[in-house]
CSV table of all heavy atoms in Angstrom, one decimal:
chain,number,residue,atom,x,y,z
K,270,ASP,N,7.9,3.4,-1.9
K,270,ASP,CA,8.8,2.3,-1.6
K,270,ASP,C,10.1,2.8,-1.1
K,270,ASP,O,10.9,2.1,-0.5
K,270,ASP,CB,8.9,1.5,-3.0
K,270,ASP,CG,7.8,0.6,-3.2
K,270,ASP,OD1,7.2,0.0,-2.2
K,270,ASP,OD2,7.5,0.3,-4.4
K,309,ASN,N,-2.9,1.6,3.5
K,309,ASN,CA,-1.8,0.8,3.8
K,309,ASN,C,-1.2,1.1,5.2
K,309,ASN,O,-1.0,2.2,5.5
K,309,ASN,CB,-0.7,1.1,2.7
K,309,ASN,CG,-1.1,0.5,1.4
K,309,ASN,OD1,-1.0,-0.7,1.1
K,309,ASN,ND2,-1.6,1.3,0.5
K,343,THR,N,1.1,-6.0,4.9
K,343,THR,CA,1.9,-6.9,4.1
K,343,THR,C,2.3,-8.1,4.9
K,343,THR,O,2.4,-8.1,6.1
K,343,THR,CB,3.1,-6.2,3.5
K,343,THR,OG1,4.0,-5.8,4.6
K,343,THR,CG2,2.8,-5.0,2.7
K,371,ASP,N,-1.9,-8.0,2.2
K,371,ASP,CA,-1.3,-7.4,1.0
K,371,ASP,C,-0.1,-8.2,0.5
K,371,ASP,O,0.6,-8.8,1.3
K,371,ASP,CB,-0.8,-5.9,1.4
K,371,ASP,CG,-0.8,-5.0,0.2
K,371,ASP,OD1,-1.0,-5.5,-1.0
K,371,ASP,OD2,-0.6,-3.8,0.4
K,372,ASP,N,0.1,-8.1,-0.8
K,372,ASP,CA,1.3,-8.7,-1.4
K,372,ASP,C,1.3,-10.2,-1.2
K,372,ASP,O,2.4,-10.8,-1.0
K,372,ASP,CB,2.6,-8.0,-0.9
K,372,ASP,CG,2.7,-6.6,-1.3
K,372,ASP,OD1,1.8,-6.1,-2.0
K,372,ASP,OD2,3.7,-5.9,-0.9
K,375,THR,N,4.4,-13.3,-1.6
K,375,THR,CA,5.8,-12.8,-1.7
K,375,THR,C,6.6,-12.9,-0.4
K,375,THR,O,7.8,-12.9,-0.5
K,375,THR,CB,5.9,-11.3,-2.1
K,375,THR,OG1,5.1,-10.5,-1.1
K,375,THR,CG2,5.1,-11.1,-3.4
K,394,ASP,N,-0.3,-10.9,-4.9
K,394,ASP,CA,0.7,-10.1,-5.4
K,394,ASP,C,0.7,-10.1,-7.0
K,394,ASP,O,0.5,-11.1,-7.7
K,394,ASP,CB,2.1,-10.4,-4.9
K,394,ASP,CG,3.1,-9.4,-5.2
K,394,ASP,OD1,3.1,-8.3,-4.7
K,394,ASP,OD2,4.0,-9.6,-6.1
K,395,ARG,N,1.1,-8.9,-7.6
K,395,ARG,CA,1.2,-8.6,-8.9
K,395,ARG,C,2.0,-9.7,-9.7
K,395,ARG,O,1.8,-10.0,-10.8
K,395,ARG,CB,1.8,-7.2,-9.1
K,395,ARG,CG,1.8,-6.6,-10.4
K,395,ARG,CD,2.2,-5.1,-10.3
K,395,ARG,NE,3.6,-5.1,-10.3
K,395,ARG,CZ,4.4,-4.9,-11.4
K,395,ARG,NH1,3.8,-5.0,-12.6
K,395,ARG,NH2,5.7,-4.8,-11.4
K,428,GLU,N,-3.9,-8.1,-7.7
K,428,GLU,CA,-3.2,-6.8,-7.9
K,428,GLU,C,-2.5,-6.7,-9.3
K,428,GLU,O,-2.0,-7.7,-9.8
K,428,GLU,CB,-2.1,-6.6,-6.8
K,428,GLU,CG,-2.6,-6.6,-5.4
K,428,GLU,CD,-1.5,-6.1,-4.5
K,428,GLU,OE1,-0.5,-6.9,-4.3
K,428,GLU,OE2,-1.5,-4.9,-4.2
L,776,CA,CA1,3.8,-3.9,-2.9
Side-chain angles (χ1 to χ4, degrees):
D270 280 328
N309 290 285
T343 59
D371 203 354
D372 299 352
T375 58
D394 191 69
R395 193 169 84 83
E428 298 192 281

